[in-house]
Amino acid sequence: MEKTFIMIKADGVKRGLIGEVISRIERKGYRINKAKLFKPKRELVEEHYIEHREREFFKGLVDYIADEDVMAMEVEGEDAIEVMRLLIGDKDPKVAGPGTIRGDFSSSLSQNIVHGSDSKESAERELHLWFKE
Ligand code: CDP
Ligand code: MG
């Protein structure tokens, strides 16, 4: 069994999609091991998205999530990292297929409801970052 880090981002929480997202994860057969709804500090969000720090969208990305309610989760199941990415869908609304979370609920390249770790290394790093303590 594999663990991955999933976050319902600020737009997902504001739009009342917590239940929808969790329900899709559970229906697929995955387990929510940990969950916390809180407002992450700027430094935590910057660290989370550190790989994008040089990108032009970085500040906007941090502004959209920092100090806003998000739901951080540890999700567990068979090949959880890859399967959750599939369930989430592509960040490009022109690519995200219907039936995926982003495909069904997002028309934006930046505000796209949910984050999921993209590799084993990211999952370990992100779970540690968001759930230390
Ligand atoms: O979230 P995902 O791993 O699918 O995509 P990413 O390329 O790692 O980008 C991380 C996040 O940055 C995206 O989910 C968007 O919220 C944001 N982003 C953006 O605002 N504008 C872009 N051109 C690319 C990404
Ligand atoms: Mg990514």
Side-chain angles (χ1 to χ4, degrees), residues 9 48-49 51-52 55-58 60-61 64-65 85 88-92 102 108-118:
K9 301 189 194 182
H48 173 74
Y49 280 122
E51 64 169 319
H52 297 308
R55 308 292 296 277
E56 75 292 342
F57 61 81
F58 184 70
L61 176 58
Y64 135 60
I65 290 165
R85 292 282 290 188
I88 289 168
D90 198 272
K91 66 174 177 284
D92 184 345
R102 287 171 175 173
S108 160
L109 180 63
S110 51
Q111 306 215 352
N112 52 24
I113 317 290
V114 60
H115 164 85
S117 308
D118 63 5

Side-chain angles (χ1 to χ4, degrees), residues 62-80:
V62 175
D63 284 344
Y64 135 60
I65 290 165
D67 302 313
E68 300 287 348
D69 279 322
V70 302
M71 177 78 100
M73 295 182 279
E74 179 182 282
V75 172
E76 181 168 6
E78 190 94 33
D79 297 316

Side-chain angles (χ1 to χ4, degrees), residues 4-6 8 22 32 34-35 71-75 127 131:
T4 188
F5 174 68
I6 300 292
I8 305 175
I22 289 180
I32 315 289
K34 298 177 184 170
M71 177 78 100
M73 295 182 279
E74 179 182 282
V75 172
L127 284 171
F131 288 104

Side-chain angles (χ1 to χ4, degrees), residues 1-28:
M1 288 294 156
E2 190 172 69
K3 291 175 182 160
T4 188
F5 174 68
I6 300 292
M7 168 176 44
I8 305 175
K9 301 189 194 182
D11 57 320
V13 174
K14 281 182 192 144
R15 288 175 57 191
L17 294 172
I18 293 175
E20 177 72 39
V21 172
I22 289 180
S23 160
R24 286 177 180 226
I25 294 169
E26 290 185 328
R27 272 151 51 199
K28 184 73 179 170

Side-chain angles (χ1 to χ4, degrees), residues 34-38 70-73 129-133:
K34 298 177 184 170
K36 59 177 178 185
L37 179 68
F38 75 117
V70 302
M71 177 78 100
M73 295 182 279
L129 185 65
W130 290 83
F131 288 104
K132 57 186 164 205
E133 266 333 284

